[in-house]
Amino acid sequence: SGLGLVRRDGETFLKIEGFAGLQNVDPVRGPHFVLDADLERVFSDHEVEVTLTVRPSNRRGAHAFQANYSTGRQGESGWQTFDMYPDWRDYSFIYRLPVKKGENAFDYLGIRPVVPEDSRAIEIQRVKFRRIEKARAGVGA
């Protein structure tokens, strides 16, 4: 997989290119973002909404992409698949993170184009994480 910053028409974005047959099931063995250990503590035992602003690349653009939030050995969201529109759009999913146990480690967000044959590419403008507060016991009951 190829990964790089691109500047076009006054915009800067991240381009990820994938190749058929070379994608690994492990989100850390392909294009991914490493989240700081502080975020892992804040997100522990909470639902987190992940929102990605993505579009197909103008050359060999993918029709779909996948994202996977991984906490390493403690679990992952699994690959979430999104069919894409031709322009910038927000795509979101929610993952409940397990309770943080043991040593500090890093969480990862794997992102890849769906590649049915040859190669396909996507462009990423923004990645946003939002912790969803837990409902407090007795509120609204």
Side-chain angles (χ1 to χ4, degrees):
S1 292
L3 181 72
L5 283 178
V6 174
R7 184 159 177 81
R8 183 181 340 123
D9 300 328
E11 289 184 297
T12 302
F13 49 85
L14 182 67
K15 181 177 178 179
I16 298 176
E17 185 174 16
F19 301 92
L22 297 180
Q23 294 184 324
N24 196 300
V25 69
D26 184 346
V28 180
R29 297 195 179 270
H32 66 276
F33 295 97
V34 179
L35 280 67
D36 190 87
D38 288 346
L39 289 177
E40 182 179 282
R41 284 191 293 278
V42 170
F43 291 166
S44 174
D45 196 30
H46 281 80
E47 288 184 331
V48 173
E49 180 181 46
V50 180
T51 301
L52 303 110
T53 307
V54 181
R55 71 180 177 194
S57 182
N58 64 346
R59 186 174 173 276
R60 302 208 52 77
H63 296 287
F65 76 96
Q66 297 177 314
N68 188 345
Y69 190 116
S70 174
T71 62
R73 288 178 291 210
Q74 290 188 315
E76 63 182 54
S77 66
W79 288 103
Q80 307 295 308
T81 303
F82 301 92
D83 292 326
M84 287 192 294
Y85 293 91
D87 52 356
W88 291 120
R89 295 280 175 108
D90 288 344
Y91 303 89
S92 299
F93 69 97
I94 294 174
Y95 173 53
R96 170 167 281 290
L97 277 72
V99 176
K100 169 80 180 91
K101 295 179 184 163
E103 294 287 318
N104 279 342
F106 294 103
D107 288 359
Y108 304 90
L109 180 67
I111 304 173
R112 64 188 188 189
V114 171
V115 186
E117 75 276 331
D118 299 325
S119 67
R120 294 288 185 269
I122 59 172
E123 298 170 352
I124 303 168
Q125 185 180 57
R126 179 176 34 247
V127 177
K128 187 169 71 174
F129 299 91
R130 182 177 68 91
R131 185 177 85 164
I132 299 172
E133 295 302 322
K134 293 183 197 178
R136 288 179 287 166
V139 174

